[in-house]
Amino acid sequence: MSSSIPDQYATSAAVGMVAEGPEPENHVPQDPSIYNSIFWWAYIANLILVSANALTFRFADMINMLGGSDQVAGTIVSVGSIGALVGRLFLGQWIDRYGVRPLWIACSVLYMTGIIMMVCLPSLGFLMYAGRTLFAFGLGGMFACSMTHIQNQVPPERRTEMIATLGSSGFLGMILGSQMGDIFLRFTPDSLLRHGVLLGTSAIMGGIYLIIVTFITRHEKSQHQRDSPAAWPLLKRYWPGWVVIVGIMIGMAFACSTVFIARYATTLGLKGVGTYFTAYAVSAFIVRILTRHTSKVYGRHRMIVLGMMGHVIGYTGLCFVTAEWHFILPAICSGFAHALLFPCVVSLGTEHFPKQFRGTGTTLVLCFIDIGGVVFAPLLGAIIDQFGFRPMFLTTAGAALGTMVLYGLMTHRTSDPEMLHHVSSGKLVRDSKNTIETESLGSGPVPEPCKSGCA
């Protein structure tokens, strides 16, 4: 798999060392910009994909219209996630072996195929489960390929920043998709036609996404690796650590918001969920942009603990919603949580995997998010059927609180390599400036060599 950024980012000069030849007095080495045309096309593609996915958030309403309960909707989502989970165990290996481009294109095609099956053959039978599985596998594969591709364009210490910045496009897409969905609700009858329009538009947007992906990867050279190991041995060797439980909780949160929030609004007699997802996305976008460098200063472990607290407050707040504007505060809290958690979990989870296995590492981390959906989607649906929505939200908040406490206890003494790199880089710049200033002094005795190891 080719990368447009060479390996020159691996520190090429020792601390305090000055290159030969004349240089400006205050010269500080600068990395080439990572925000090039490839990044911005990937940004647009991700915006389109998340917008398309947001149009599927009323899937539970569609299942209810076909005669299924909330538990049935959760079970279909869970089965689809299981199929996607099994596929992902091989997807990462295929990415490492054949490159991002062919797998990215194939997953985009599967995404559209799954949606077409659900639209053209709406029933609660085998085809609905199969369509949801293809949809879930394709969607997960598209995100995995996107993140693998973008991580390979930047130096290791900037992966969290890149994931965070790319992900900000998803929040814009969430706004666009949820507002489009509410518009379709106003102009379509309450029938299967409405869901056909929602899912059909999602498939069309998936086709546009496919065109962009084909364009931005057209120069990528496929490098076939015959020695790419299976996922399970790699997972045991490069175990991500406690961050996997946070990934599972993210999956639980995704299942709660993307499957059941729309059903909650429907039972309350509210017009739509555009208010919730718009507030969620605006909050997440602002927080993501403001904190994209924060991991280097405060560390990803602290950001994860703070993000889980956002979910605790957000899902507890949903219990008190009685009007559409009441969604705003819980959505802001959950958007804040999403903005902090996702890039930290992905970068920490893939950190131990060498670059040649980055595809497998990324898909394995996303597998734990899928596991959260697999386990919790039917469970949350069953709680709704038996006890109602508010006990379901409290269950979600309680699980997030328990995860926050456990993760905080397990990692409070763990150092973050990104913080160490930040400190090291700062020392490099300061020592370089001091050396240059010393050598630029006028006449006088030559200073004694540094005895502290700075040379």
Side-chain angles (χ1 to χ4, degrees), residues 273-350:
V273 291
T275 299
Y276 177 85
F277 287 108
T278 298
Y280 183 110
V282 170
S283 167
F285 181 83
I286 294 173
V287 172
R288 180 67 62 80
I289 294 299
L290 293 178
T291 62
R292 66 188 187 278
H293 300 295
T294 303
S295 63
K296 301 173 186 176
V297 181
Y298 298 104
R300 289 168 287 183
H301 300 303
R302 294 175 184 171
M303 292 175 68
I304 286 176
V305 171
L306 191 59
M308 293 306 300
M309 176 57 72
H311 271 322
V312 173
I313 298 172
Y315 286 108
T316 302
L318 286 171
C319 296
F320 304 99
V321 171
T322 56
E324 192 169 351
W325 69 270
H326 293 168
F327 277 127
I328 294 176
L329 183 58
I332 289 174
C333 294
S334 292
F336 167 85
H338 186 162
L340 295 184
L341 289 174
F342 196 80
C344 291
V345 168
V346 173
S347 63
L348 274 171
T350 59

Side-chain angles (χ1 to χ4, degrees), residues 127-143:
L127 291 177
M128 180 62 71
Y129 286 85
R132 183 73 194 192
T133 300
L134 292 178
F135 163 83
F137 177 77
L139 181 65
M142 292 153 85
F143 281 126

Side-chain angles (χ1 to χ4, degrees), residues 52-125:
N53 185 43
L55 293 175
T56 70
F57 286 175
R58 289 192 172 272
F59 179 76
D61 278 347
M62 177 180 173
I63 298 303
N64 184 258
M65 187 171 293
L66 292 171
S69 64
D70 289 312
Q71 185 174 3
V72 170
T75 301
I76 294 174
V77 171
S78 179
V79 170
S81 298
I82 291 173
L85 184 62
V86 173
R88 278 190 182 182
L89 295 176
F90 303 96
L91 177 64
Q93 185 180 4
W94 295 337
I95 292 175
D96 293 334
R97 181 172 295 179
Y98 301 112
V100 170
R101 177 182 167 85
L103 273 301
W104 206 350
I105 292 173
C107 288
S108 301
V109 173
L110 290 178
Y111 171 87
M112 291 185 290
T113 302
I115 290 181
I116 292 171
M117 288 177 63
M118 291 188 289
V119 169
C120 297
L121 301 166
S123 68
L124 295 180

Side-chain angles (χ1 to χ4, degrees), residues 129-443:
Y129 286 85
R132 183 73 194 192
T133 300
L134 292 178
F135 163 83
F137 177 77
L139 181 65
M142 292 153 85
F143 281 126
C145 290
S146 177
M147 281 186 288
T148 302
H149 175 260
I150 210 66
Q151 287 182 84
N152 287 337
Q153 310 300 314
V154 298
E157 68 275 6
R158 301 193 70 179
R159 287 191 302 112
T160 304
E161 174 193 347
M162 179 56 75
I163 296 170
T165 309
L166 178 67
S168 67
S169 65
F171 303 127
L172 298 178
M174 188 177 292
I175 297 172
L176 177 62
S178 61
Q179 293 297 330
M180 287 174 61
D182 282 358
I183 292 173
F184 290 152
L185 255 65
R186 293 189 184 99
F187 294 99
T188 55
D190 188 13
S191 64
L192 287 177
L193 175 63
R194 169 181 295 172
H195 298 286
V197 171
L198 289 169
L199 294 178
T201 304
S202 179
I204 292 172
M205 295 174 76
I208 298 172
Y209 177 91
L210 174 59
I211 293 172
I212 296 176
V213 166
T214 305
F215 170 73
I216 64 177
T217 59
R218 66 193 186 281
H219 297 309
E220 183 175 293
K221 298 178 181 178
S222 281
Q223 296 182 356
H224 296 265
Q225 289 187 181
R226 299 183 180 277
D227 59 343
S228 180
W232 180 246
L234 286 176
L235 181 62
K236 290 193 295 184
R237 182 173 182 181
Y238 304 110
W239 177 250
W242 285 100
V243 74
V244 300
I245 65 169
V246 182
I248 292 173
M249 288 300 104
I250 290 177
M252 173 198 67
F254 284 170
C256 182
S257 59
T258 62
V259 179
F260 298 115
I261 291 289
R263 285 286 301 138
Y264 184 45
T266 300
T267 59
L268 293 175
L270 304 180
K271 294 181 180 179
V273 291
T275 299
Y276 177 85
F277 287 108
T278 298
Y280 183 110
V282 170
S283 167
F285 181 83
I286 294 173
V287 172
R288 180 67 62 80
I289 294 299
L290 293 178
T291 62
R292 66 188 187 278
H293 300 295
T294 303
S295 63
K296 301 173 186 176
V297 181
Y298 298 104
R300 289 168 287 183
H301 300 303
R302 294 175 184 171
M303 292 175 68
I304 286 176
V305 171
L306 191 59
M308 293 306 300
M309 176 57 72
H311 271 322
V312 173
I313 298 172
Y315 286 108
T316 302
L318 286 171
C319 296
F320 304 99
V321 171
T322 56
E324 192 169 351
W325 69 270
H326 293 168
F327 277 127
I328 294 176
L329 183 58
I332 289 174
C333 294
S334 292
F336 167 85
H338 186 162
L340 295 184
L341 289 174
F342 196 80
C344 291
V345 168
V346 173
S347 63
L348 274 171
T350 59
E351 191 167 67
H352 300 290
F353 290 83
K355 183 176 180 180
Q356 63 268 30
F357 304 137
R358 184 71 48 74
T360 300
T362 301
T363 55
L364 286 173
V365 172
L366 296 179
C367 276
F368 286 103
I369 297 177
D370 283 343
I371 289 172
V374 168
V375 173
F376 285 99
L379 176 61
L380 296 180
I383 293 174
I384 293 170
D385 288 337
Q386 296 296 321
F387 306 104
F389 281 93
R390 290 178 175 85
M392 183 274 287
F393 290 134
L394 290 177
T395 300
T396 305
L401 178 61
T403 302
M404 180 192 73
V405 172
L406 177 60
Y407 187 82
L409 291 174
M410 293 297 103
T411 62
H412 74 286
R413 293 185 178 179
T414 304
S415 60
D416 188 345
E418 287 199 0
M419 291 180 67
L420 298 177
H421 180 87
H422 179 68
V423 173
S424 175
S425 298
K427 186 174 187 300
L428 170 62
V429 171
R430 288 195 301 272
D431 287 352
S432 298
K433 287 183 177 180
N434 291 338
T435 304
I436 293 172
E437 290 173 0
T438 301
E439 292 187 353
S440 64
L441 292 174
S443 59

